[in-house]
Amino acid sequence: MKLTLRVWRQSGPRDKGRMVEYKLADVSPDASFLEMLDVLNEKLIAEGEEPVAFDHDCREGICGMCSLVINGTPHGPERATTTCQLHMRKFKDGEVIDVEPWRAKAFPVVKDLVVDRSAFDRMIQAGGYITAPTGTAPEAHSTPVPKPDADRAFEAAECIGCGACVAACPNGSAALFLGAKVTHLGLMPQGQPERWDRVVSMLETHDEEGFGGCTNTGECTVACPKEIPLDVIGRLNGDYLKATAGGKKR
């Protein structure tokens, strides 16, 4: 395959940044998108140019590091697929491909395609945990969990924290991410002690970090590589109302 890449280049947070065009030839259709970027960087290094900085780690669709906007879509054109699992056969020979970083106030660009997503970490630190008493492990069946709750918790726990929901949202909201965490922990018996403090603390941190408000456009769940359902945001809002207006003890 022959490709024309237009890649966002930005030397640092204070640099204005720009799109730079590169030509690639002989790209294997079986290569992943990140492998294609590896080929580009090998070419740039051989030519004495600065390689493109981009995030990656597991390359197995698990870690959520491969945060790229491809032709205007977070993670690219294929639904329920991370960038590292996207293959070049999804593109046409001779195609022009735009590659950009996440665009959100709360995710400042570090360099090129790399953004700072530590705001997610601070939200988790604000309340995304459970009480874990030490000592002998309890009997596995001593605290039964209804099957629907277990299934729902597992579904929400699939969130990998990549930030595609934020990049897709016109408001730059992290409500889907936050809803997934609140739903996952709030459905488990272990998550009940901090349930009401958790939702208030995490939402307050969400706003302090500069994420926008949710207006239920649904772009977040469309872009989510793990297809976290939109209704986790409803649970997030419900728990917040109960924790504040409902008189729940904090």
Side-chain angles (χ1 to χ4, degrees), residues 10-165:
Q10 186 172 341
S11 61
R14 293 182 177 85
D15 183 33
K16 185 177 180 180
R18 67 203 185 283
M19 297 293 279
V20 179
E21 186 172 293
Y22 302 102
K23 302 285 187 180
L24 275 184
D26 299 323
V27 175
S28 170
D30 294 324
S32 73
F33 200 89
L34 295 189
E35 288 170 339
M36 180 274 295
L37 290 180
D38 289 336
V39 171
L40 170 63
N41 278 345
E42 289 172 1
K43 178 177 181 290
L44 293 176
I45 292 170
E47 295 172 352
E49 297 185 39
E50 182 79 11
V52 177
F54 63 93
D55 267 332
H56 63 95
D57 192 2
C58 74
R59 300 201 179 202
E60 295 178 349
I62 299 171
C63 72
M65 292 294 290
C66 52
S67 50
L68 299 179
V69 175
I70 302 166
N71 286 342
T73 302
H75 289 300
E78 191 170 9
R79 288 289 301 271
T81 303
T82 54
T83 297
C84 62
Q85 294 179 307
L86 178 66
H87 290 85
M88 299 313 299
R89 55 180 170 268
K90 294 296 179 179
F91 300 90
K92 298 176 182 178
D93 185 32
E95 188 166 347
V96 178
I97 304 174
D98 288 347
V99 189
E100 302 171 81
W102 285 171
R103 303 287 192 183
K105 178 182 178 181
F107 291 159
V109 173
V110 176
K111 184 177 181 180
D112 296 340
L113 305 174
V114 179
V115 299
D116 180 359
R117 287 174 289 183
S118 59
F120 272 11
D121 298 328
R122 290 187 287 274
M123 277 196 286
I124 293 295
Q125 290 167 358
Y129 57 86
I130 62 169
T131 297
T134 58
T136 304
E139 172 61 36
H141 299 295
S142 62
T143 308
V145 179
K147 183 66 164 54
D149 287 352
D151 290 344
R152 182 81 164 124
F154 273 119
E155 179 183 50
E158 289 187 33
C159 171
I160 56 177
C162 66
C165 52

